[in-house]
Amino acid sequence: SFALASDDLRFAAAVAELAETLRGSKHSSGDRLADVAAVASSCAGSDPDRLELVTLVGKAQSLMPSAP
């Protein structure tokens, strides 16, 4: 299961989902950014690059239009 996957794999999946969301893919939607943030945060550890991505996901969330 995804929960049992390595941190590296789960982080890579979060990065891919972020990219899909930002490009407006039909396979993703902005409401998934909270999930992306949760996964990325749980896998970031103390890696500064990974922590920066978590910060960027938060910024992306703030820029996404809110649902009506």
Side-chain angles (χ1 to χ4, degrees), residues 18 37 40-41 44 48-62:
L18 174 62
S41 182
D49 293 328
R50 289 182 179 201
L51 291 170
E52 182 177 5
L53 183 97
V54 173
T55 300
L56 292 173
V57 172
K59 288 180 181 181
Q61 282 179 292
S62 70

Side-chain angles (χ1 to χ4, degrees), residues 21-64:
T21 299
L22 293 178
R23 69 184 281 270
S25 170
K26 66 180 181 178
H27 303 291
S28 189
S29 61
D31 61 341
R32 302 261 333 236
L33 286 177
D35 296 333
V36 170
V39 171
S41 182
S42 72
C43 302
S46 61
D47 184 301
D49 293 328
R50 289 182 179 201
L51 291 170
E52 182 177 5
L53 183 97
V54 173
T55 300
L56 292 173
V57 172
K59 288 180 181 181
Q61 282 179 292
S62 70
L63 294 172
M64 296 297 280

